[in-house]
Amino acid sequence: MTESMGWMLAVVGGVAAIAWLVRSGRLGGGDFVIRLGPGDRVEVTGKVPRSKVPGIAGFFRDQAGGVPRGRIVGTFGPGGTPRLWFSPTIGPALRQRARNFLIEHLR
């Protein structure tokens, strides 16, 4: 294998990895994004009906300890069920509650 072939494989692998991250919603390629904090800020952007935004904001504002800081990226999978990715600053218990809420709320 020549040096140029090694570089070519590295470039192709990098492009494939970035494409996978974008497609899976982990790199800003999601259908919607929920940005949380600081304070009571809850910002919902993307393909979420406006009628659903107040319910989402209310859910996060009603959490014990206030609105956490972080980001949730979601894509709509088969049947319209959201697939969600959470930033590491959102704890496991809140992740599960948010997942349960968002799956029911966004149907």
Side-chain angles (χ1 to χ4, degrees), residues 1-72:
M1 182 191 272
T2 66
E3 186 176 328
S4 63
M5 284 183 70
W7 279 104
M8 181 75 80
L9 286 174
V11 168
V12 169
V15 169
I18 290 171
W20 178 80
L21 287 170
V22 168
R23 178 87 172 125
S24 69
R26 296 174 190 235
L27 193 62
D31 291 329
F32 63 92
V33 177
I34 302 170
R35 290 180 182 85
L36 306 171
D40 274 354
R41 186 176 73 102
V42 178
E43 181 182 317
V44 181
T45 57
K47 298 177 184 177
V48 174
R50 285 186 176 184
S51 63
K52 303 288 186 174
V53 173
I56 294 169
F59 170 81
F60 287 104
R61 288 185 180 127
D62 290 344
Q63 296 304 308
V67 176
R69 292 191 79 154
R71 185 175 122 156
I72 302 167

Side-chain angles (χ1 to χ4, degrees), residues 84-101:
L84 306 168
W85 290 270
F86 296 85
S87 64
T89 56
I90 301 173
L94 181 55
R95 286 181 191 200
Q96 189 60 53
R97 286 193 305 273
R99 187 178 309 281
N100 294 345
F101 171 78

